[in-house]
Amino acid sequence: MQVASRESVLLVDDEPQVLVALEDLLCDDFVIFKAESAQGALELVQRRHDIAVVVTDQRMPRITGDELLSRLPLDCDALRILVTGFADLSGVIRAVNDGRIFAYVTKPWNPDDLRLKVSKAAEHFRLTQELRNERQLLYDLMDNIPDGIYFKDRERRFLRANRALARIISDGDPADLVGRRLEEVLPACTYTDVTTREEIDILSDGKPVQDAVREYRREGARRWLSETKAPIRDALGVAGLVGVSRDVTERVGVDEALRTSEESLRKHTQILNTILDSMGDGVVVADHSGSFLLFNAQAEKILGFAPAGVSARDWTNTYGIRLPNQSHPISVDRDPLSRAIAGEVVPETEVLISNHVVTSATVAMTASPLIDATNTISGGVVLLRDITGQRELERQLFQSQKMEVVGQLAGGIAHDFNNLLAVIQSYGELLRLGLPSEDSRRQDVDEVLAATRRAAALTRQLLAFSRRQMVQPKPLQLNEVVGGVERMLRRLIGEDIELVARLEPSLGTVLADAGQLEQIIVNLTVNARDAMSDGGTLTIETADVVLDAEYAAAVPGVTPGRYVMLAVADNGAGMTLEVQRRVFEPFFTTKEVGKGTGLGLSTVYGIVQQSQGHVRLESEVGRGSCFRLYFPVASSTLVPAELSTTSFPPPAMGCVLLVEDDDALRRVTARILRDNGFSVLEARRPTDARALCAKHGADVDLLLVDVVMPELSGPKLAEELLRSAPRMRVLCMSGYPGTQNAPEGLVGTDVPYIQKPFTPRALVERIRYLLGSVSTAT
């Protein structure tokens, strides 16, 4: 075995040839010293303390080898090896038992065995010397270091302590501390109580204590000690502890002033951090090198994740930050943060964010340079404000406003169109009555009248969308309405579509028109059927729900409270986001030409809005659609009011005050009435009606008035004229006599009303019914 350095070996034998043989065997690896007698060996060892190994023959004159080894000086650390014959084994055994030899070799020796044993002995000597030197260094360190150092066992007794510790504690000898606990050295001391509890915890849980500064009073003097302690572990666990005590009295004096300043700074920093983390805006700060200096909690929430390993020079790519009109991330030259670092103030810029955490977000970004104390630009600051919800609310509001405008337009068109249809239908009916039954032209007139009726049906859909269709609201149970049309729906959807009804047993009552609700369900069912060309499942669900303030804030025009929900869902083709945004617009359809008018869903929207409810659509391409309709729970029931409480026998015929601003419609209506035996007073506007009523009020039996009039609405005019002619009956007519225009006495299930366009027969029968006559029109 080759050692790291050449150690000194002493060879002892009274035969010179043996010494030569041993020297030849070992001289390549060791520094060899020789002695031909035991006495000479002892003298050499006295002079040289670096002898690592002594190899001696056992049988020598006067002093045997084992006796020589026993006489070596006590400070001699050389390892001892005996070379002996079999006859001298008793002496070797005696030396082994006395612990005087490291190994022995029998004659004749094996060269490799002897060389190996000498090498091991030399290595052992070297390690022993190093350990002794290190131990001496440790002792010198402990004895000369100004800090107190000590070791304790598991019972907290001192195993060793240096002079500095003894000086700090008691000005005594370190040896006096060994085997004693601190409370035995310093009884009834606050410092002792604190350190005792601390050391018990260290020995129990193994957690170190670092730089714990505490007060220590001794002989009236006040000192401050910094304590650092750590557990000492062995194979079984915590076996004790080591501690360092440093007198830091002078440092504490300086630290007191610093602590006050640091505490103030800490409070201000904590306040600043709290403000930053509680801000609604994200705050991002970066330096010139591209390293992020600050990234508050809101910034992490907006962008999706923390900037670990992210460079500010490439953050737009990492976080997927792009301009609304671009599909790729913002380039460095347009990046607000990079521009701010370059010294530019960047006004608010709207960007889109999309990455593996944030699906899609709209963010307003403002940037400005970061100025340091020397008025030098040291980086950039970016403020991030998530405006995704704001933009969605704006989109919903715009959509709502657009629908309202379109509804008003549709209602206005429907009103004027209904007036035209009323003229066409009335003259058509008159023309038909004037033709003989065998006249072939009657068939042509019938076609004209049929087309008029179809146009009127289309107009009614526009009225429903514009929420100006006359309704007869009643307290209803949605489950009963669904049950009433369920059989028809099953025939409507066909055999390849399964109908599933999930109706909550006890629902709140809603105030709505039953016919309109049926129309809603049919329209949604047809829409769902068309979306499931390959079959599927149609689900109709009802439930009581409570919409809270948070929901109401997210949906424009919704009031918090109790609602009854009607949901119609399918698992068909679904809709794209663009289709969802336009789906309620009138005349918008995705169906082929001739297969849809585009009024089905717009009619649903109008009816629900007219019933003070709202619609939510959930759809995903390939996964179907769900329309959720919310109707407010009815708090009271509408009770119809009578137009007049005066009872009188109606005449067989009568006088009708006709008020209609459309000249053509007024002329044909007056003709119909006169042809059926009524006397007619015609008025184009409310001013004319007031004058006629003032002059002929006692003779007027019925007021036939349009709802929408210049100057004053028809219902308001009726309310006014009834005060001076209480026995007069009233019949309203209009293309859209909206309930919002009617006085309270005309709102209810028995409102005297006739929808334009009407037939001459229907008009005459309605008037005669109101006047008490059962005669029919000619």
Side-chain angles (χ1 to χ4, degrees), residues 131-144:
L131 181 62
R132 172 177 292 174
N133 292 337
E134 289 176 0
R135 184 181 293 115
Q136 187 60 45
L137 286 174
L138 176 62
Y139 289 162
D140 292 344
L141 175 66
M142 288 189 62
D143 287 339
N144 292 284

Side-chain angles (χ1 to χ4, degrees), residues 592-625:
E592 298 176 11
V593 176
K595 292 190 175 181
T597 63
L599 288 174
L601 292 178
S602 63
T603 300
V604 170
Y605 181 88
I607 291 174
V608 175
Q609 290 287 317
Q610 188 174 13
S611 301
Q612 311 304 315
H614 67 281
V615 184
R616 294 302 299 273
L617 169 60
E618 301 167 7
S619 185
E620 185 176 343
V621 175
R623 302 190 67 177
S625 304

Side-chain angles (χ1 to χ4, degrees), residues 688-705:
D688 302 333
R690 291 191 189 99
L692 289 172
C693 190
K695 185 176 181 180
H696 305 286
D699 299 324
V700 176
D701 298 299
L702 182 136
L703 171 66
L704 179 58
V705 61

